[in-house]
Amino acid sequence: MEKGAVEFITNSTSILHFSNRDVLDRIFVVCLISLISVCNVLMGCELNLHVVLSTIKRPVAPAIGFFTQFAIMPLLAYSIAIFVLSSKGMHLLALGLFVTGCSPGGGASNYWTVLLGGNTNLSITMTFCSTIAALVMMPLWIKLLGTRLIKAVAPTLTIHIPYSKIVASLFTLIVPLFIGLIIAKYKPHWAIRARKLLRPFIISVLIVLIIFGVAINLWLFKLITWPILLAGLLLPWCGFMFGCFTSILLAQDPPDVTAIAIETGVQNTGIAIMLLKLTFPGTDSDIASLLPITVACFTPAPLLFGYAIHTLIKRLKEKRVKPGLCPADSSRSPLAKNEEEEVQQNSSTGNSDDDESDRIEIVCPTTAL
């Protein structure tokens, strides 16, 4: 164990009961997989396969996401790791943060995209593509930039990429989605009910996961120092920002901007934790996993804030549109309204024997559809 890590542990007043926490971790993982599977089935009922295929055929948005996920995020994670953690002697924690930045494709990104009104089809496509790409890009980035961090921890250290975990997460995504697609095709009335349940169920799942995740990781908050907190906040929050600005600069539609930003900021911390546990023995793996867990705990904060703002704006728009009133009425200028009133007066005082084609009728666009 490195010196910085020893000081980090000895300065803490808490005692970590790793064996008890392992049991809770297993329970949490089982619940997590079950809830995610149900969520993905519901999302499969809403998925439009034709849109997904058209996105793959013209992969502009996925290409932007690939750039932000596999170019910006690893470089961002490396920079934060060097300047915030390694400069304080926390090389093991720095490696944990860098590995997290090389692990895109978090499944929760799809759920947040649904709640925030993003392009769900694009989000699922990006998650699928990034999970496959991680099989190559993760070891590539670790070899390119991770060498310095690895040597600082242990010169003879060998990183073990959890390929089985990556493939398993891919199947966890694909199989339930495929089940949902089958339901939508052969049981469309079931799919309609599933779409109605999707958003409330996602909200419930996220609440349970956040509460449960924080509860089993209470030990984490006793060990957090300012460098750890800063690093854990900067990685996902800057990821959201870079994903958003990059897609805006490249003239993407707002739903696509939302999807790309969320896909960029949400990392697959499960893969990062598995890699660290396979690489380090004993308590070293728990210390290294501290950063992925910190990132996972603080990632939802800006998303929850965004969801609250999104919901508030939606409610305000609904209140502005009064029942029986054409929504376009509030947007027409006074001059246009006066002209319409004059037309109506002229038509009412005109000859009643005029043809119907000579009459001018003002029709609300929404009622004419």
Side-chain angles (χ1 to χ4, degrees):
M1 186 183 298
E2 61 180 280
K3 181 179 179 181
V6 173
E7 294 176 352
F8 172 71
I9 291 295
T10 55
N11 288 339
S12 174
T13 58
S14 62
I15 300 175
L16 304 182
H17 301 283
F18 292 111
S19 58
N20 294 335
R21 192 161 52 79
D22 287 340
V23 175
L24 292 176
D25 286 345
R26 291 177 183 177
I27 297 174
F28 178 68
V29 168
V30 172
C31 295
L32 180 66
I33 293 175
S34 302
L35 293 173
I36 286 177
S37 299
V38 175
C39 270
N40 287 341
V41 171
L42 296 177
M43 289 185 65
C45 294
E46 189 170 312
L47 191 65
N48 190 327
L49 194 57
H50 296 290
V51 176
V52 173
L53 294 176
S54 64
T55 302
I56 296 175
K57 291 178 181 178
R58 191 174 177 273
V60 177
I64 297 172
F66 184 88
F67 171 74
T68 57
Q69 288 177 312
F70 290 105
I72 292 180
M73 289 304 290
L75 293 173
L76 175 65
Y78 182 78
S79 301
I80 297 172
I82 292 296
F83 291 106
V84 178
L85 297 173
S86 286
S87 61
K88 304 292 184 181
M90 300 178 177
H91 304 296
L92 189 57
L93 296 170
L95 181 60
L97 181 71
F98 175 67
V99 169
T100 305
C102 297
S103 308
S109 59
N110 306 138
Y111 311 144
W112 288 112
T113 301
V114 172
L115 294 180
L116 293 174
N119 188 338
T120 306
N121 296 288
L122 173 61
S123 177
I124 293 175
T125 303
M126 288 180 61
T127 300
F128 175 77
C129 294
S130 62
T131 304
I132 294 178
L135 294 169
V136 177
M137 298 303 296
M138 178 182 283
L140 177 63
W141 275 113
I142 290 175
K143 185 175 182 180
L144 290 176
L145 294 181
T147 306
R148 175 181 174 181
L149 298 174
I150 293 172
K151 288 182 178 180
V153 176
T156 59
L157 182 66
T158 301
I159 296 293
H160 299 280
I161 306 297
Y163 292 106
S164 59
K165 174 69 175 178
I166 297 174
V167 174
S169 65
L170 195 62
F171 277 98
T172 305
L173 173 69
I174 294 175
V175 174
L177 287 175
F178 185 70
I179 294 174
L181 288 171
I182 293 176
I183 292 174
K185 183 176 181 179
Y186 295 101
K187 296 289 184 179
H189 58 286
W190 289 9
I192 294 174
R193 294 180 181 178
R195 294 187 190 105
K196 293 180 180 179
L197 292 174
L198 177 60
R199 284 160 182 80
F201 188 78
I202 286 178
I203 294 173
S204 302
V205 168
L206 290 175
I207 291 174
V208 170
L209 293 182
I210 291 173
I211 294 175
F212 198 2
V214 171
I216 67 172
N217 291 306
L218 285 176
W219 62 274
L220 168 74
F221 298 98
K222 299 178 182 179
L223 301 179
I224 285 181
T225 60
W226 281 110
I228 296 173
L229 178 62
L230 182 61
L233 293 177
L234 283 177
L235 182 63
W237 294 12
C238 289
F240 295 136
M241 181 184 67
F242 281 117
C244 179
F245 289 160
T246 303
S247 52
I248 289 175
L249 289 175
L250 295 175
Q252 296 300 295
D253 295 331
D256 293 352
V257 172
T258 301
I260 293 172
I262 294 174
E263 287 290 331
T264 303
V266 177
Q267 301 300 296
N268 197 333
T269 54
I271 292 178
I273 292 172
M274 182 60 65
L275 182 149
L276 296 169
K277 287 186 176 296
L278 291 174
T279 302
F280 296 101
T283 56
D284 281 350
S285 65
D286 293 288
I287 298 170
S289 301
L290 188 61
L291 256 300
I293 296 173
T294 305
V295 170
C297 288
F298 290 103
T299 294
L303 297 174
L304 286 171
F305 179 75
Y307 177 68
I309 297 298
H310 176 75
T311 304
L312 179 61
I313 293 174
K314 185 177 179 180
R315 294 287 185 270
L316 291 175
K317 287 183 178 179
E318 290 176 353
K319 289 182 179 180
R320 288 179 182 177
V321 180
K322 297 180 180 179
L325 179 64
C326 175
D329 289 342
S330 59
S331 61
R332 293 201 306 271
S333 64
L335 179 60
K337 292 181 180 180
N338 292 334
E339 290 177 352
E340 290 173 3
E341 290 175 359
E342 291 178 1
V343 170
Q344 290 176 350
Q345 290 176 0
N346 293 334
S347 62
S348 63
T349 57
N351 189 357
S352 60
D353 295 333
D354 290 342
D355 294 334
E356 291 293 328
S357 59
D358 294 332
R359 296 181 182 178
I360 300 176
E361 183 179 3
I362 307 300
V363 181
C364 175
T366 56
T367 58
L369 295 177

